[in-house]
Amino acid sequence: DTAVSQTPKYLVTQMGNDKSIKCEQNLGHDTMYWYKQDSKKFLKIMFSYNNKELIINETVPNRFSPKSPDKAHLNLHINSLELGDSAVYFCASSQDVGGSTDTQYFGPGTRLTVL
Amino acid sequence: GENVEQHPSTLSVQEGDSAVIKCTYSDSASNYFPWYKQELGKGPQLIIDIRSNVGEKKDQRIAVTLNKTAKHFSLHITETQPEDSAVYFCAAKGGGRRALTFGSGTRLQVQP
C-alpha cells in the first residue's frame, strides 16, 4: 500500500485554466503539507494542515487554495494557471507537528506543466 | 525565518569512496535535521534524521553529525554504491508548528 499518494502524476494544461491535485495518506497522520519543487529542484513549503486546520500558509498567490475534507486528504486547487506555476508539487504528511512526531513522508509528486 | 545552505551542489565520487555533504542553518531554535534522498521522477525519501539532543547518528553506511554551536550538520555516506546516485537534501525545523526548510540539494554521482 502506498503511504502518501497523489493524483494525477502528470498534469498538462493551458494558461488560465483551473485544476486540482489530490493527496491521500493512509498512515493515520494528523498533519499534511504541500510543497512546490521548481526547475532548479528547490523545495519550498506552501501550506500545512493539522487536524484539518490551516497552520502554515507561506507567501503563495491566493490562486492556490488548499482544502482538507478530512485528516487523510489534502487537495490543492489552482485557479487561473500561469506559466510560472509549472513545477512538481509534492504532498507530505507527519504524525503531528512537534516533538518526535514531525517526521515528514512525501508522496511521489505531480508534475504540472502549463502551456 | 530559517535559512539552510547546502554544499556542494554536485559531487562525483568513485564507487567505494566516501561522500560528505554539509549544511549550515541560521535559526538557533531549529532542533530537527532530516536528510532526504530524491531519485529521478520520485518524491524525497527520508534516509536519516537527527535531533538536537544528540551529536551523531549512524545507520549502516549513512551517518549524520550535528554541531549546534556552529549551526552545521553533515551527511556521511561510506562505501558508496552506484545506487546511491541521487539528489540529497538537508533540512532544518524548529519546534511546534514551524515549517521544514530545505537546502538547495546536492546531486551525488557514484561512478562504477
Side-chain angles (χ1 to χ4, degrees), chain B:
Chain B
E2 175 66 276
N3 182 46
V4 177
E5 295 192 358
Q6 182 171 347
H7 300 281
S9 56
T10 59
L11 179 59
S12 182
V13 299
Q14 290 295 124
E15 183 176 357
D17 287 350
S18 295
V20 180
I21 303 170
K22 298 183 178 182
C23 289
T24 60
Y25 62 97
S26 60
D27 188 350
S28 57
S30 289
N31 58 13
Y32 174 58
F33 308 92
W35 286 88
Y36 286 85
K37 174 183 180 183
Q38 186 176 22
E39 296 176 327
L40 194 62
K42 296 185 179 180
Q45 179 187 7
L46 180 74
I47 55 172
I48 195 167
D49 57 8
I50 191 168
R51 297 194 185 265
S52 59
N53 56 345
V54 298
E56 184 174 0
K57 185 176 177 181
K58 191 173 182 181
D59 182 4
Q60 299 182 348
R61 297 187 295 109
I62 295 173
V64 58
T65 59
L66 170 65
N67 183 328
K68 284 219 72 179
T69 304
K71 290 191 278 190
H72 65 69
F73 56 113
S74 301
L75 178 71
H76 304 252
I77 306 174
T78 58
E79 300 173 24
T80 54
Q81 301 165 3
E83 50 265 40
D84 294 331
S85 296
V87 179
Y88 291 80
F89 291 95
C90 65
K93 179 183 179 295
R97 296 181 167 189
R98 297 184 186 210
L100 191 60
T101 300
F102 282 84
S104 53
T106 296
R107 185 175 298 278
L108 172 66
Q109 190 167 6
V110 180
Q111 308 282 358

Side-chain angles (χ1 to χ4, degrees), chain A residues 65-77:
Chain A
S65 53
K67 286 187 171 54
S68 181
D70 55 59
K71 287 196 308 183
H73 297 84
L74 181 62
N75 304 323
L76 183 65
H77 188 75

Side-chain angles (χ1 to χ4, degrees), chain A residues 30-45:
Chain A
D30 286 346
T31 309
M32 296 183 72
Y33 311 81
W34 276 110
Y35 287 85
K36 180 180 180 180
Q37 186 172 47
D38 62 23
S39 57
K40 295 184 178 179
K41 293 286 192 181
F42 190 68
L43 267 165
K44 188 170 171 56
I45 184 73

